[in-house]
Amino acid sequence: MVAVTARDVAGNESRYAAPVRVTLAPIPAQPGPAIEPGTARVGVSLTARTGTWLNAPSALAIAWVRVVDGRRESAGAGATYTPTRDDARRGARLLVQVVATNAAGSASAESAPLAPVLPATPVPVATPTVVGVARVDRTVVVAPGAWDDGGGALAFAYRWEACADLAGTACSQLAGAGSALVAPAAALGRRLRVVVTATNAGGRAEAASAPGEPVLADAPTFARPPRLVGTGAVGAAVDVEPGAVEW
């Protein structure tokens, strides 16, 4: 309300009063800006909430901010943002900054940063294989195949199995969890396969090799080689000692 008083030379007064509209700059209130659903993961869209504002802002602008090792970088603008593999590899934390504007000015507020962006779950893109000749007491190794790491470092674990057929039925787990296996006697006549588990900070996935050829017995070796026994004279009989064989 504004009041005006006028006085003439005779001392007469006239008064006039009229309401005045005063516009104040926006002021952030609670709840403030936030991000939903609240977990940042590669490939999963995040949505910003602008929060509550006083003094009727006429416009709200949303900016996404990436925080890496304490440094702030612009990540994008708009109501949504989809974290990238680079965000995950750099350990980025995301927050939203909202700028509210009206005729009297502008003000900003921002959300708390989320936890570091998680990678996507690993995805196999090439099947693991078993490398080597499948014989009892011989060593075979695994080639883990190719994996989409989802933006995170991968760790691998291995489970060796002996299967009844090429379809991978009736498989039984073998002792050993490394990338190499000495084929045990229990696998004789069965087919080796390996199940590879890839894990990153965002999850885990499995991929299995195709069962290989049936495991064979190891080839025999001579503990003592065979030899000819005799005088070597013309017309004389010659005998053969077969030696000793180890299986």
Side-chain angles (χ1 to χ4, degrees), residues 1-14:
M1 177 77 71
V2 174
V4 178
T5 301
R7 182 179 294 111
D8 60 19
V9 293
N12 299 313
E13 292 184 353
S14 296

Side-chain angles (χ1 to χ4, degrees), residues 167-218:
T169 59
C171 296
S172 56
Q173 185 171 346
L174 300 173
S179 60
L181 175 76
V182 177
L188 182 63
R190 296 172 67 81
R191 300 171 185 269
L192 296 179
R193 80 170 181 182
V194 62
V195 180
V196 179
T197 301
T199 304
N200 64 17
R204 65 176 59 194
E206 289 187 348
S209 68
E213 294 300 316
V215 176
L216 302 175
D218 198 9

Side-chain angles (χ1 to χ4, degrees), residues 43-206:
V44 179
S45 179
L46 297 171
T47 301
R49 293 203 303 256
T50 56
T52 303
W53 293 84
L54 304 179
N55 300 332
S58 56
L60 295 170
I62 301 171
W64 293 83
V65 178
R66 177 189 300 116
V67 182
V68 180
D69 295 330
R71 299 187 304 273
R72 296 165 67 100
E73 305 172 2
S74 174
T80 62
Y81 176 77
T82 301
T84 67
R85 294 166 186 265
D86 185 59
D87 289 332
R89 290 194 174 98
R90 299 175 66 197
R93 296 162 63 96
L94 299 170
L95 61 88
V96 289
Q97 184 181 69
V98 178
V99 177
T101 304
N102 65 13
S106 63
S108 66
E110 62 186 38
S111 70
L114 297 179
V117 174
L118 294 175
T121 301
V123 176
V125 295
T127 304
T129 55
V130 176
V131 180
V133 178
R135 288 183 179 272
V136 173
D137 293 333
R138 298 286 185 90
T139 299
V140 292
V141 298
V142 58
W147 293 79
D148 180 342
D149 65 10
L154 294 181
F156 294 102
Y158 309 97
R159 185 176 75 250
W160 292 90
E161 298 178 342
C163 300
D165 53 33
L166 285 172
T169 59
C171 296
S172 56
Q173 185 171 346
L174 300 173
S179 60
L181 175 76
V182 177
L188 182 63
R190 296 172 67 81
R191 300 171 185 269
L192 296 179
R193 80 170 181 182
V194 62
V195 180
V196 179
T197 301
T199 304
N200 64 17
R204 65 176 59 194
E206 289 187 348

